[in-house]
PDB file of all heavy atoms in Angstrom:
ATOM      1  N   ARG X 212      13.800  17.988  -6.822  1.00  0.00           N
ATOM      2  CA  ARG X 212      14.434  18.939  -7.881  1.00  0.00           C
ATOM      3  C   ARG X 212      16.020  19.097  -7.519  1.00  0.00           C
ATOM      4  O   ARG X 212      16.237  19.363  -6.395  1.00  0.00           O
ATOM      5  CB  ARG X 212      13.836  20.278  -7.901  1.00  0.00           C
ATOM      6  CG  ARG X 212      12.260  20.236  -8.283  1.00  0.00           C
ATOM      7  CD  ARG X 212      11.717  21.706  -8.082  1.00  0.00           C
ATOM      8  NE  ARG X 212      10.280  21.646  -8.297  1.00  0.00           N
ATOM      9  CZ  ARG X 212       9.572  21.899  -9.426  1.00  0.00           C
ATOM     10  NH1 ARG X 212      10.245  22.175 -10.513  1.00  0.00           N
ATOM     11  NH2 ARG X 212       8.312  22.000  -9.523  1.00  0.00           N
ATOM     12  N   GLY X 213      16.818  18.903  -8.490  1.00  0.00           N
ATOM     13  CA  GLY X 213      18.189  19.172  -8.386  1.00  0.00           C
ATOM     14  C   GLY X 213      18.983  17.767  -8.323  1.00  0.00           C
ATOM     15  O   GLY X 213      18.359  16.792  -8.731  1.00  0.00           O
ATOM     16  N   HIS X 214      20.205  17.919  -8.244  1.00  0.00           N
ATOM     17  CA  HIS X 214      21.049  16.652  -8.287  1.00  0.00           C
ATOM     18  C   HIS X 214      20.796  15.800  -6.976  1.00  0.00           C
ATOM     19  O   HIS X 214      20.807  16.243  -5.833  1.00  0.00           O
ATOM     20  CB  HIS X 214      22.493  17.035  -8.303  1.00  0.00           C
ATOM     21  CG  HIS X 214      23.337  15.972  -8.881  1.00  0.00           C
ATOM     22  ND1 HIS X 214      23.726  14.864  -7.991  1.00  0.00           N
ATOM     23  CD2 HIS X 214      23.932  15.740  -9.996  1.00  0.00           C
ATOM     24  CE1 HIS X 214      24.592  14.097  -8.756  1.00  0.00           C
ATOM     25  NE2 HIS X 214      24.674  14.551  -9.938  1.00  0.00           N
ATOM     26  N   LEU X 215      20.612  14.509  -7.285  1.00  0.00           N
ATOM     27  CA  LEU X 215      20.222  13.571  -6.195  1.00  0.00           C
ATOM     28  C   LEU X 215      21.258  13.520  -5.077  1.00  0.00           C
ATOM     29  O   LEU X 215      20.955  13.190  -3.910  1.00  0.00           O
ATOM     30  CB  LEU X 215      19.869  12.217  -6.816  1.00  0.00           C
ATOM     31  CG  LEU X 215      18.643  12.045  -7.644  1.00  0.00           C
ATOM     32  CD1 LEU X 215      18.577  10.635  -8.273  1.00  0.00           C
ATOM     33  CD2 LEU X 215      17.390  12.285  -6.612  1.00  0.00           C
ATOM     34  N   SER X 216      22.570  13.732  -5.395  1.00  0.00           N
ATOM     35  CA  SER X 216      23.577  13.703  -4.447  1.00  0.00           C
ATOM     36  C   SER X 216      23.390  14.761  -3.348  1.00  0.00           C
ATOM     37  O   SER X 216      23.846  14.617  -2.140  1.00  0.00           O
ATOM     38  CB  SER X 216      24.902  13.992  -5.036  1.00  0.00           C
ATOM     39  OG  SER X 216      25.012  15.400  -5.595  1.00  0.00           O
ATOM     40  N   LEU X 217      22.582  15.735  -3.536  1.00  0.00           N
ATOM     41  CA  LEU X 217      22.342  16.818  -2.634  1.00  0.00           C
ATOM     42  C   LEU X 217      21.469  16.362  -1.378  1.00  0.00           C
ATOM     43  O   LEU X 217      21.375  16.913  -0.386  1.00  0.00           O
ATOM     44  CB  LEU X 217      21.539  18.042  -3.316  1.00  0.00           C
ATOM     45  CG  LEU X 217      22.402  18.843  -4.284  1.00  0.00           C
ATOM     46  CD1 LEU X 217      21.391  19.847  -5.060  1.00  0.00           C
ATOM     47  CD2 LEU X 217      23.595  19.494  -3.807  1.00  0.00           C
ATOM     48  N   PHE X 218      20.738  15.189  -1.618  1.00  0.00           N
ATOM     49  CA  PHE X 218      19.945  14.591  -0.521  1.00  0.00           C
ATOM     50  C   PHE X 218      20.565  13.456   0.117  1.00  0.00           C
ATOM     51  O   PHE X 218      19.837  12.731   0.952  1.00  0.00           O
ATOM     52  CB  PHE X 218      18.543  14.425  -0.963  1.00  0.00           C
ATOM     53  CG  PHE X 218      17.520  14.234   0.051  1.00  0.00           C
ATOM     54  CD1 PHE X 218      17.162  15.379   0.872  1.00  0.00           C
ATOM     55  CD2 PHE X 218      16.830  13.044   0.264  1.00  0.00           C
ATOM     56  CE1 PHE X 218      16.247  15.240   1.747  1.00  0.00           C
ATOM     57  CE2 PHE X 218      15.935  12.851   1.347  1.00  0.00           C
ATOM     58  CZ  PHE X 218      15.643  13.943   2.114  1.00  0.00           C
ATOM     59  N   GLU X 219      21.732  12.958  -0.262  1.00  0.00           N
ATOM     60  CA  GLU X 219      22.297  11.821   0.310  1.00  0.00           C
ATOM     61  C   GLU X 219      22.319  11.870   1.858  1.00  0.00           C
ATOM     62  O   GLU X 219      21.937  10.884   2.551  1.00  0.00           O
ATOM     63  CB  GLU X 219      23.802  11.605  -0.254  1.00  0.00           C
ATOM     64  CG  GLU X 219      23.727  10.844  -1.425  1.00  0.00           C
ATOM     65  CD  GLU X 219      22.958   9.469  -1.535  1.00  0.00           C
ATOM     66  OE1 GLU X 219      23.323   8.738  -0.536  1.00  0.00           O
ATOM     67  OE2 GLU X 219      22.168   9.249  -2.408  1.00  0.00           O
ATOM     68  N   GLU X 220      22.848  13.048   2.393  1.00  0.00           N
ATOM     69  CA  GLU X 220      22.800  13.137   3.873  1.00  0.00           C
ATOM     70  C   GLU X 220      21.442  13.106   4.336  1.00  0.00           C
ATOM     71  O   GLU X 220      21.167  12.491   5.521  1.00  0.00           O
ATOM     72  CB  GLU X 220      23.686  14.353   4.243  1.00  0.00           C
ATOM     73  CG  GLU X 220      23.773  14.418   5.837  1.00  0.00           C
ATOM     74  CD  GLU X 220      24.501  15.721   6.162  1.00  0.00           C
ATOM     75  OE1 GLU X 220      24.871  16.635   5.369  1.00  0.00           O
ATOM     76  OE2 GLU X 220      24.755  15.781   7.485  1.00  0.00           O
ATOM     77  N   GLY X 221      20.525  13.810   3.734  1.00  0.00           N
ATOM     78  CA  GLY X 221      19.109  13.819   4.231  1.00  0.00           C
ATOM     79  C   GLY X 221      18.446  12.499   4.226  1.00  0.00           C
ATOM     80  O   GLY X 221      17.786  12.198   5.081  1.00  0.00           O
ATOM     81  N   ARG X 222      18.875  11.722   3.281  1.00  0.00           N
ATOM     82  CA  ARG X 222      18.227  10.425   3.170  1.00  0.00           C
ATOM     83  C   ARG X 222      18.765   9.514   4.444  1.00  0.00           C
ATOM     84  O   ARG X 222      17.971   8.789   5.114  1.00  0.00           O
ATOM     85  CB  ARG X 222      18.774   9.693   1.929  1.00  0.00           C
ATOM     86  CG  ARG X 222      18.262   8.300   1.679  1.00  0.00           C
ATOM     87  CD  ARG X 222      18.715   7.870   0.326  1.00  0.00           C
ATOM     88  NE  ARG X 222      18.227   6.451   0.029  1.00  0.00           N
ATOM     89  CZ  ARG X 222      17.975   6.040  -1.173  1.00  0.00           C
ATOM     90  NH1 ARG X 222      18.223   6.795  -2.169  1.00  0.00           N
ATOM     91  NH2 ARG X 222      17.556   4.772  -1.233  1.00  0.00           N
ATOM     92  N   ARG X 223      20.013   9.583   4.666  1.00  0.00           N
ATOM     93  CA  ARG X 223      20.613   8.989   5.815  1.00  0.00           C
ATOM     94  C   ARG X 223      19.972   9.385   7.163  1.00  0.00           C
ATOM     95  O   ARG X 223      19.609   8.541   8.058  1.00  0.00           O
ATOM     96  CB  ARG X 223      22.034   9.180   5.914  1.00  0.00           C
ATOM     97  CG  ARG X 223      22.829   8.427   7.116  1.00  0.00           C
ATOM     98  CD  ARG X 223      24.224   8.865   7.177  1.00  0.00           C
ATOM     99  NE  ARG X 223      24.426  10.346   7.340  1.00  0.00           N
ATOM    100  CZ  ARG X 223      24.156  11.000   8.464  1.00  0.00           C
ATOM    101  NH1 ARG X 223      23.754  10.405   9.482  1.00  0.00           N
ATOM    102  NH2 ARG X 223      24.344  12.250   8.570  1.00  0.00           N
TER     103      ARG X 223
END
Side-chain angles (χ1 to χ4, degrees):
R212 298 178 189 260
H214 199 282
L215 290 172
S216 63
L217 297 172
F218 197 67
E219 275 305 310
E220 184 180 5
R222 181 175 183 156
R223 178 189 59 75

